[in-house]
Amino acid sequence: MAAAAVDAVFAPAAGWWRAGWPLPWCLVPVWALLWALLRAREKRVRGDGRCTGEGVPADFDRAA
């Protein structure tokens, strides 16, 4: 998006710019896939994602 904004505002004369400005948009699926894989790995390493209760005081579940 930032690259498209720069293109609209400055209209650079570089020949490669026309092919280069969509690159951030093309990388969005790659970054999303990478994030999903890393998030799944993090959940697998930590467990199922729920609180295990380790280090939680015994009276933590009581109302104040």
Side-chain angles (χ1 to χ4, degrees):
M1 289 184 279
V6 169
D7 183 37
V9 173
F10 296 109
W16 54 267
W17 185 253
R18 281 214 148 329
W21 79 266
L23 187 62
W25 287 106
C26 296
L27 290 177
V28 167
V30 174
W31 290 119
L33 180 62
L34 179 64
W35 175 83
L37 291 172
L38 291 174
R39 181 70 175 134
R41 181 180 180 272
E42 178 187 22
K43 283 189 169 195
R44 188 181 71 232
V45 168
R46 286 189 176 184
D48 63 358
R50 290 182 289 190
C51 182
T52 61
E54 295 174 5
V56 177
D59 61 346
F60 186 74
D61 59 345
R62 289 191 330 215

